[in-house]
Amino acid sequence: MGTRIPSHQLSNGLYVSGGRPDHLKDRQPTMAARAVPYTGGDIKNSGDLGKMFDLSLLDHNSHPPKPSRLSSSSSSLHNSGSVRSGPNSGPIPKKTSSGPMVPLQPTGLITSSQLGSSAGRRSGNLEPAGSNGKPVYGSAVTNLSEEVKLGFKVSKAVIWVVLVVSVLVLMVGVFLTVAVKKAEVSVVAAGILVAAVVVVLWNCGCRKRGFLGFLKRYPDAELRGAIDGQYVKVTGVVTCGSIPLESSFQKVPRCVYVSTELSEYRGWGGKSANPKHRFFSWGRRHAEKYVADFYISDFQSGLRAQVKAGYGAKVAAFVKPTTIVDIKKENQESSPNILRWLADRGLSSDDRVMRLKEGYMKEGSTVTVMGVVRRHDNVVMIVPPAQPVSTGCQWAHCLLPTYSDGLILTCDESQNADVIPV
């Protein structure tokens, strides 16, 4: 007779073999879990989230709640920025803090500034004008405080040779005149010296015109075929970079280069505008010139390149300014804008004869850039050359080699002409 196999019935009614197991001892629950309702940004239902930011609500029928243990540690966070609440949130008691209370954004994000507002200014953005009304830019914008310098690139050896030969010619001419008793020798020697002086004076007076002529005759390059490190001349339409500029007096927007110059005429016994101001001439009294990084689209290939003119780069800009207003004693009262412009910069008008000129390169203008090509991945840049650029001897114009240091910018078209919309 076989043995009977024990079995037992489960709670669901199913019979299984085996004996009924002993009941386990009751265990303490490790953690009570409960569903957390969605608050929808309502601080009334936020619980500990509101306590983290020290947001306590006042109930008219009860006493104010006691501050939580996190209030002391979160007070610095509360005072460092604004606290936001949703449109459905309850009233928030007023409390002294460093920042105003503004509503919580619909996204639920808690930020230090409103959505749509910049978190911080870029280093080169135009900051609010100071007490003098002059625009203040950051390091991303180059301040061209000095005039463009054009020098003669002639070696010292050549200069010494010319001086020695001139002295020898003069000495030989004087000796032959005394010894031979003929004045023709002195005339020839003096003619040679006068010719040398004329050449030097011609170069000093026409070097800028000769340099601009050299720039016009320099052939345009195609950016698509330019190699890294090649010196090129590119002509095309310019567009602003991340920091557009604005002219000082006319307030022309979206420019890549702006220039405002105030000149003063000095008569006999008049006041000098600067230490180098001579009598019966115009002297620069005040100047504001700025340039920033911008883009140029090559006419030859259509390729777009970034021109690195900001962040203190060396730039030589040849832009002919336009006379805006002539200031005299008779018409000062009829020009309130110029008087305000002078007052913002702490400049007095008095009885001086002044002239205000302004030039700019507006977005959409046709500009010529000369610099060195740099390629980085798929980005093409034009940067200032490491060495000054020389024109070489221009024998047809009797001009010595002239050089300029930095990135060269020229704009031939009139400032009032229509530009290409971009």
Side-chain angles (χ1 to χ4, degrees):
M1 190 171 180
T3 59
R4 183 181 179 86
I5 298 176
S7 62
H8 67 277
Q9 185 179 9
L10 300 178
S11 59
N12 57 3
L14 182 66
Y15 285 91
V16 295
S17 61
R20 181 182 299 274
D22 297 335
H23 293 286
L24 298 177
K25 296 182 181 180
D26 295 336
R27 297 180 180 177
Q28 297 294 333
T30 57
M31 181 178 293
R34 61 184 180 88
V36 179
Y38 175 67
T39 63
D42 192 351
I43 300 181
K44 294 180 179 179
N45 303 322
S46 296
D48 291 338
L49 179 62
K51 295 178 182 179
M52 289 174 60
F53 296 95
D54 201 13
L55 299 177
S56 58
L57 299 177
L58 291 178
D59 190 353
H60 298 287
N61 300 326
S62 60
H63 297 285
K66 298 180 180 180
S68 62
R69 59 186 179 87
L70 295 176
S71 60
S72 59
S73 62
S74 62
S75 59
S76 60
L77 175 62
H78 175 72
N79 294 331
S80 63
S82 304
V83 181
R84 313 183 180 274
S85 61
N88 300 325
S89 63
I92 299 178
K94 297 181 180 179
K95 58 188 304 182
T96 304
S97 61
S98 60
M101 286 189 176
V102 292
L104 182 70
Q105 301 299 328
T107 58
L109 296 176
I110 301 176
T111 60
S112 61
S113 60
Q114 295 184 0
L115 292 178
S117 63
S118 59
R121 293 187 178 270
R122 299 174 65 93
S123 60
N125 284 353
L126 177 63
E127 299 290 343
S131 58
N132 58 354
K134 184 179 179 180
V136 179
Y137 293 98
S139 59
V141 178
T142 302
N143 183 7
L144 305 177
S145 57
E146 299 181 356
E147 288 284 347
V148 177
K149 294 182 179 180
L150 296 176
F152 296 118
K153 194 169 185 179
V154 181
S155 62
K156 294 183 178 180
V158 174
I159 296 176
W160 280 107
V161 169
V162 172
L163 291 177
V164 171
V165 170
S166 300
V167 172
L168 290 177
V169 168
L170 182 60
M171 293 176 62
V172 170
V174 172
F175 174 77
L176 293 178
T177 300
V178 174
V180 184
K181 303 295 183 179
K182 289 186 179 181
E184 291 82 358
V185 179
S186 299
V187 172
V188 173
I192 296 175
L193 294 179
V194 170
V197 173
V198 169
V199 170
V200 174
L201 295 178
W202 171 261
N203 280 266
C204 293
C206 300
R207 58 181 172 181
K208 184 175 181 180
R209 183 185 302 176
F211 188 81
L212 294 178
F214 167 79
L215 298 182
K216 291 182 180 179
R217 294 188 300 269
Y218 198 91
D220 289 315
E222 185 178 350
L223 273 178
R224 194 176 301 277
I227 61 176
D228 187 75
Q230 179 181 349
Y231 188 81
V232 296
K233 172 187 174 182
V234 179
T235 302
V237 178
V238 296
T239 53
C240 294
S242 59
I243 307 171
L245 306 178
E246 183 182 68
S247 62
S248 175
F249 184 75
Q250 299 181 95
K251 303 299 181 183
V252 179
R254 299 200 64 80
C255 298
V256 300
Y257 166 83
V258 291
S259 170
T260 305
E261 298 181 11
L262 179 66
S263 302
E264 179 182 336
Y265 183 79
R266 183 183 184 185
W268 181 259
K271 299 179 181 179
S272 61
N274 55 70
K276 298 181 180 181
H277 193 185
R278 298 186 300 270
F279 292 103
F280 305 104
S281 63
W282 289 91
R284 190 179 70 170
R285 185 182 180 187
H286 179 77
E288 299 175 10
K289 296 182 181 181
Y290 301 100
V291 64
D293 292 349
F294 60 93
Y295 295 91
I296 184 171
S297 299
D298 181 22
F299 279 159
Q300 300 288 333
S301 60
L303 190 65
R304 192 185 188 202
Q306 185 183 22
V307 181
K308 304 295 291 182
Y311 294 95
K314 294 182 179 180
V315 179
F318 298 93
V319 180
K320 187 177 181 181
T322 304
T323 301
I324 304 301
V325 60
D326 286 324
I327 310 168
K328 299 180 181 179
K329 182 179 180 180
E330 295 79 12
N331 63 352
Q332 286 186 4
E333 299 298 332
S334 60
S335 304
N337 293 334
I338 187 63
L339 293 179
R340 188 183 306 110
W341 188 88
L342 292 173
D344 290 341
R345 285 149 183 81
L347 302 174
S348 60
S349 58
D350 301 335
D351 297 336
R352 305 184 182 188
V353 178
M354 295 177 289
R355 176 176 295 170
L356 184 67
K357 293 184 178 181
E358 198 163 62
Y360 50 83
M361 292 180 180
K362 190 176 181 181
E363 187 176 56
S365 302
T366 301
V367 176
T368 299
V369 179
M370 299 183 69
V372 177
V373 174
R374 292 298 180 196
R375 293 182 178 271
H376 181 71
D377 296 336
N378 295 327
V379 179
V380 180
M381 297 178 293
I382 301 178
V383 301
Q387 299 295 331
V389 179
S390 176
T391 61
C393 289
Q394 304 181 58
W395 300 109
H397 301 86
C398 296
L399 293 175
L400 298 174
T402 308
Y403 71 92
S404 178
D405 194 8
L407 200 68
I408 299 176
L409 308 178
T410 60
C411 183
D412 295 333
E413 64 185 24
S414 174
Q415 305 293 338
N416 299 324
D418 294 335
V419 298
I420 301 176
V422 293

